[in-house]
Amino acid sequence: MKKTLVSYFWITIGCIVYAIAFDWLFVPNQIGFGGITGIGQILNYYIPALPIGIVVIVLNIPLFLLGWKFLGAHLLVSSLYAMAASSVLMDIFAEMFTFQPMDAMLASIFGGVLIGAALGVVFAQGATTGGTDLAARLLKIPFAWLPTGKLLMLVDMTVLVAIVAAFRSLESGLYGLVALYIQGMVMDMVLYGLDQSKVAYIISRAPRETIRAIDDKLDRGVTILHGEGAFSGQDKQVLMCAFRQKEIVALKTLVFELDPEAFIIVCSTHEVTGNGFRAYTKNEV
């Protein structure tokens, strides 16, 4: 219960940021917004009495029915909550505040940052805000190798074309494209970029001592790869070790104290899954 409440707390925070960013930065500056929210933006442009949030809720019904079949009840319940919360909050904030237009480029940049961060938080809690967010989550099943932010960006670009035609303004679509690109980058940063892990390949004259030191001092496992020196022809043991970014100084200190002539290659990793790092979950984002 505690874990569920914490998850819904963060979903709520993400929905609040999402709604404020949309009403504050996108609507008054007529910046194109992707997905079903963008469709609601078009309909509201032609029929001002039609709230964007209500349009989003109505158009989401078919997607949620499809999502129930493929994604299961847990994701759908949390997504239904996130969609309803973000849609209702958009209409509430629109009634409470009158946001003034600002420089469109600034609005695009900061709108993309805020929306991307909000969606990243919501996605990280196993939910979506419906619309093309849910469509991207469905596409993640057959295209699991593609980052979620990139999938969402591809889906949303189709709506931007419709917004350009509706507003009869190429600038609205271009600013929307800027916001969409930033949104996708920030979302992927929130979802994947916080896992700052590294992999080190170590060649040392004291491999066993190095393994024991890494295990004792850093509590990290080491895998031995068997290699051969191209020039000398000598057999060598290459030690492979995954570790956190903050442990890099301690690791290098251990290695070079045992062998001042050791050779280390440190590589950045997209993510590390397994013991001591993030846990694997089915259909993860």
Side-chain angles (χ1 to χ4, degrees):
M1 178 62 69
K2 181 180 178 181
K3 183 178 180 180
T4 301
L5 289 175
V6 170
S7 178
Y8 274 82
F9 168 79
W10 285 111
I11 291 174
T12 304
I13 294 297
C15 290
I16 292 172
V17 174
Y18 181 97
I20 291 175
F22 180 75
D23 285 338
W24 175 30
L25 299 168
F26 285 85
V27 174
N29 298 287
Q30 290 193 347
I31 295 173
F33 198 88
I36 286 181
T37 305
I39 297 174
Q41 195 178 13
I42 295 172
L43 293 176
N44 178 259
Y45 177 75
Y46 287 109
I47 311 173
L50 194 61
I52 296 176
I54 298 299
V55 174
V56 171
I57 291 175
V58 172
L59 294 180
N60 265 297
I61 293 174
L63 274 174
F64 272 92
L65 292 176
L66 183 64
W68 185 278
K69 179 180 179 181
F70 290 102
L71 298 178
H74 172 71
L75 176 69
L76 265 295
V77 170
S78 58
S79 297
L80 184 62
Y81 170 78
M83 182 271 294
S86 59
S87 300
V88 171
L89 286 169
M90 275 193 288
D91 289 344
I92 291 175
F93 291 142
E95 289 293 326
M96 291 176 59
F97 305 104
T98 302
F99 296 102
Q100 300 300 317
M102 65 171 68
D103 181 81
M105 182 56 74
L106 284 176
S108 299
I109 293 172
F110 287 100
V113 170
L114 290 177
I115 293 291
L119 290 178
V121 169
V122 172
F123 269 62
Q125 300 304 317
T128 75
T129 57
T132 48
D133 302 350
L134 184 55
R137 190 66 178 82
L138 288 167
L139 286 172
K140 185 70 176 176
I141 297 174
F143 300 105
W145 52 276
L146 281 175
T148 303
K150 302 298 187 300
L151 276 173
L152 184 60
M153 185 170 64
L154 290 173
V155 175
D156 282 342
M157 284 181 67
T158 57
V159 179
L160 284 180
V161 176
I163 288 177
V164 169
F167 290 173
R168 296 179 182 177
S169 171
L170 181 60
E171 288 186 353
S172 293
L174 293 176
Y175 283 128
L177 189 61
V178 171
L180 189 61
Y181 178 78
I182 296 173
Q183 171 187 314
M185 297 292 289
V186 173
M187 184 193 301
D188 285 340
M189 189 182 301
V190 172
L191 289 174
Y192 313 116
L194 297 179
D195 184 16
Q196 295 293 325
S197 300
K198 303 285 185 180
V199 171
Y201 296 92
I202 306 165
I203 301 175
S204 171
R205 292 178 299 180
R208 292 296 171 182
E209 293 83 351
T210 301
I211 292 172
R212 284 195 294 270
I214 293 174
D215 181 43
D216 293 340
K217 301 295 178 59
L218 299 181
D219 194 26
R220 293 295 179 194
V222 178
T223 298
I224 298 176
L225 307 178
H226 296 284
E228 178 183 338
F231 179 75
S232 64
Q234 295 179 346
D235 291 335
K236 294 182 180 293
Q237 290 185 334
V238 182
L239 310 182
M240 183 182 73
C241 176
F243 60 97
R244 301 286 186 187
Q245 169 71 40
K246 62 183 180 181
E247 297 170 328
I248 187 169
V249 174
L251 177 70
K252 292 168 76 173
T253 300
L254 289 175
V255 171
F256 287 111
E257 281 182 350
L258 291 169
D259 181 7
E261 297 182 5
F263 186 80
I264 301 180
I265 301 173
V266 177
C267 306
S268 297
T269 64
H270 176 62
E271 60 180 89
V272 179
T273 303
N275 186 29
F277 295 89
R278 61 183 294 179
Y280 169 76
T281 55
K282 188 178 180 181
N283 291 333
E284 63 182 0
V285 294

